[in-house]
Amino acid sequence: MDLDKCSEKISHKNILIEEKKSSKIVFTNENSIEVTKVQVDGCLDIQGVKCDWLLIINEPYIEIYIELKGSDVEHAFNQIENTIKIVSKNYKTVLKYCYIITTRCPINSAQIQVKAKSFKKNYNAVLKVKKTGSNESFNTFIVDK
């Protein structure tokens, strides 16, 4: 899939991903590594539901899927799964991190753990459900690798 028309290369120290009135997350990029920021929803031509954003770190190659949500976390799982199947360079082997950012999380942690296991097994993806305003560091991805 050609992501170029919906992406930009950035290397900011702080990468803010947000939706106007609801959710946001900040990724700290201490080493100013180059990241490809892809607007999925509203730009990429994908059949079915899709997540909002994709960040790609090239060295080592890591895909980070982000869905900004109010509270419909169940729907967010489907949006990220569908996007991975269509957009990922290799949805079985490439390391992925998936973030669902919520204003409130109505489902319990047991349901999230079941989904997290499924994402790990089926997509080699680490699934995280976080409250809006969270911060994550790119260093954790690269160290985890």
Side-chain angles (χ1 to χ4, degrees), residues 31-127:
N31 300 328
S32 298
I33 56 175
E34 187 177 83
V35 177
T36 304
K37 181 179 176 184
V38 183
Q39 182 183 350
V40 179
D41 195 12
C43 190
L44 281 186
D45 188 19
I46 294 178
Q47 289 298 312
V49 295
K50 54 190 141 306
C51 69
D52 294 312
W53 294 93
L54 166 62
L55 298 176
I56 299 169
I57 299 172
N58 281 311
E59 197 49 52
Y61 188 86
I62 300 170
E63 298 172 348
I64 305 163
Y65 294 84
I66 304 150
E67 175 57 29
L68 303 168
K69 266 288 168 249
S71 60
D72 192 353
V73 176
E74 283 287 339
H75 185 59
F77 293 138
N78 298 333
Q79 290 173 278
I80 289 178
E81 263 185 298
N82 192 54
T83 306
I84 287 172
K85 289 177 190 170
I86 295 169
V87 175
S88 182
K89 191 156 128 177
N90 184 320
Y91 80 88
K92 292 236 183 257
T93 60
V94 165
L95 179 61
K96 290 169 230 43
Y97 288 85
C98 304
Y99 286 87
I100 298 171
I101 308 303
T102 69
T103 52
R104 56 189 189 83
C105 187
I107 69 172
N108 68 42
S109 59
Q111 290 170 291
I112 293 170
Q113 286 173 341
V114 167
K115 275 293 186 191
K117 280 185 183 154
S118 164
F119 268 65
K120 189 70 182 157
K121 181 176 156 231
N122 297 326
Y123 307 112
N124 193 29
V126 175
L127 175 67

